[in-house]
Amino acid sequence: MTAAPLPRRLLAEYLGSALLAAIVIGSGIMATTLTPDVGVQLLINAIATALGLTVLILVFGPVGGAHLNPAVTLAIATLGGLRWRDAPAYVATQVAGCASGAVLANAMFALPAVTISTTERATAATLLAEVVAAAGLVLVILALVRSNRLDWVAAAVGAYIGSAYFFTASTSFANPAITIGRMLSDTFAGIAPASAPGFIAAQLLGAAIAVGLAVLLYPRTVTVVADSQRGSSG
């Protein structure tokens, strides 16, 4: 299948990333208005994110791959599923999309367009959790792609992220672009700028680990996505 032109793929990545950030942040804001119970708030946030991410992959995957995540883009490029010359544009578009989505979420709940988060999250435990979260996410994607089970990517990624909200101490950001977007909303899903660099470094380390594991577990060379015609992320 011939890949879509790069501008069209980037538009899909921008829209998908913006909607992902709006879902993550907006559902967190809504959750805090519905209940004071933090556990229920997290459950609402997790369910909305898992379901929303599944839909976004189904909608935007056939156009640009629906990476929606620089860690996923870099992993796919490393294994030959995306031209390296296109990767910087993908990453920049994902970051811009997540930032726009954060502004949109704030605006939908009548908050200032940008409110820098004050939620400190970086600890040894949460950084380890982000390595695990990102490694698991990227490995899920690469395993399915390298074993020619692309139809399962959307459901598997949504299910993994939904579960990782609860089994990781960090609640599974697993995405450098969404980490940057979350800095722009001082709400339930926010992260303080001081915590973001550690999270991003942990996420990239996790993605690198996943690439190594994917090659070991699925050594057969497979076309990941024809110039990123299909794919995914969190």
Side-chain angles (χ1 to χ4, degrees), residues 89-229:
Y90 263 66
V91 171
T93 298
Q94 291 155 0
V95 171
C98 284
S100 299
V103 172
L104 176 61
N106 289 334
M108 287 194 293
F109 288 90
L111 299 173
V114 174
T115 55
I116 301 301
S117 177
T118 57
T119 304
E120 298 287 347
R121 294 182 183 268
T123 66
T126 56
L127 294 179
L128 174 60
E130 278 301 288
V131 173
V132 173
L137 171 63
V138 175
L139 183 58
V140 165
I141 295 166
L142 296 181
L144 292 173
V145 169
R146 289 175 72 84
S147 59
N148 290 316
R149 293 177 290 167
L150 288 172
D151 289 342
W152 284 95
V153 170
V157 168
Y160 176 81
I161 289 296
S163 65
Y165 259 76
F166 291 95
F167 80 76
T168 64
S170 61
T171 67
S172 185
F173 284 44
N175 181 336
I178 198 69
T179 300
I180 293 171
R182 290 191 190 203
M183 289 167 40
L184 306 180
S185 184
D186 191 19
T187 56
F188 181 79
I191 181 173
S195 295
F199 265 53
I200 292 171
Q203 292 154 4
L204 295 177
L205 174 58
I209 292 171
V211 168
L213 291 174
V215 171
L216 288 172
L217 293 170
Y218 300 92
R220 184 166 64 92
T221 300
V222 177
T223 299
V224 179
V225 277
D227 278 334
S228 198
Q229 183 65 24

